[in-house]
Amino acid sequence: GQNIDQPTEMTATEGAIVQINCTYQTSGFNGLFWYQQHAGEAPTFLSYNVLDGLEEKGRFSSFLSRSKGYSYLLLKELQMKDSASYLCAVRVYGQNFVFGPGTRLSVLP
Amino acid sequence: DSGVTQTPKHLITATGQRVTLRCSPRSGDLSVYWYQQSLDQGLQFLIQYYNGEERAKGNILERFSAQQFPDLHSELNLSSLELGDSALYFCASSQDQGGQETQYFGPGTRLLVL
């Protein structure tokens, strides 16, 4: 079976750093994706990891450990506009995408 | 604006009916992906086309079908509609077929089945 877990909700303070974890158990692995989705809007692609390690893109970084079935998204210097849902997804063999339930992040002033 | 367009924005129909959702990818993108997002099931991948050919298939029901035309626009056909098909349907596009490149999402079509 396919299973992806993420915390349902997280809260952090403006200017702080937050780490959103994602663990997965899937039949095969062909890359891990992170998306941001503001309420009522379409998802926005944030990052893609296929090899172990850290990928940095400005205030956002994504880490992958394939042996542990684990990834995290790190958001630095949080801003109010970062309040959104963050979706973790794995591409499995056969090129299917499996999505996690999403983590709703609230950034407080 | 992502450059991906979807029509219509909203659709209200009755159970048992058939509807067609349309997507135009960004200029130069060869891949089109279809997703369904409902409140109880989150975002689900339905199907991917690359340059007119089906590339990957996810949790797409047999009542649903899709195609990508020579001009690269895509249509998702939903038939024998049920109440549970009410959801947001997103289309996304990317340049590559493997999904490693950035996927750009359209604004979605909100379908309500009564």
Side-chain angles (χ1 to χ4, degrees), chain A residues 82-98:
Chain A
D82 297 329
S83 292
S85 287
Y86 291 85
L87 310 174
C88 169
V90 172
R91 194 149 209 196
V92 300
Y93 294 144
Q95 306 300 324
N96 188 7
F97 286 87
V98 181

Side-chain angles (χ1 to χ4, degrees), chain A:
Chain A
Q2 321 279 22
N3 189 53
I4 298 182
D5 283 321
Q6 302 178 236
T8 305
E9 291 189 21
M10 297 184 71
T11 303
T13 306
E14 197 175 10
I17 299 174
V18 71
Q19 178 175 310
I20 302 175
N21 295 326
C22 169
T23 58
Y24 63 90
Q25 292 172 306
T26 56
S27 55
F29 178 85
N30 225 1
L32 188 140
F33 301 77
W34 283 96
Y35 299 85
Q36 178 192 60
Q37 187 175 27
H38 287 98
E41 297 182 11
T44 302
F45 178 100
L46 289 179
S47 69
Y48 166 76
N49 294 70
V50 67
L51 300 176
D52 290 353
L54 189 67
E55 295 278 343
E56 296 188 76
K57 267 189 190 178
R59 294 189 300 114
F60 291 11
S61 303
S62 57
F63 171 83
L64 174 66
S65 168
R66 289 171 297 169
S67 62
K68 295 182 179 176
Y70 168 71
S71 173
Y72 67 72
L73 181 69
L74 194 71
L75 291 76
K76 302 176 189 174
E77 300 169 16
L78 279 174
Q79 302 175 8
M80 300 297 289
K81 67 178 182 180
D82 297 329
S83 292
S85 287
Y86 291 85
L87 310 174
C88 169
V90 172
R91 194 149 209 196
V92 300
Y93 294 144
Q95 306 300 324
N96 188 7
F97 286 87
V98 181
F99 280 82
T103 298
R104 188 177 303 168
L105 174 66
S106 298
V107 180
L108 305 177

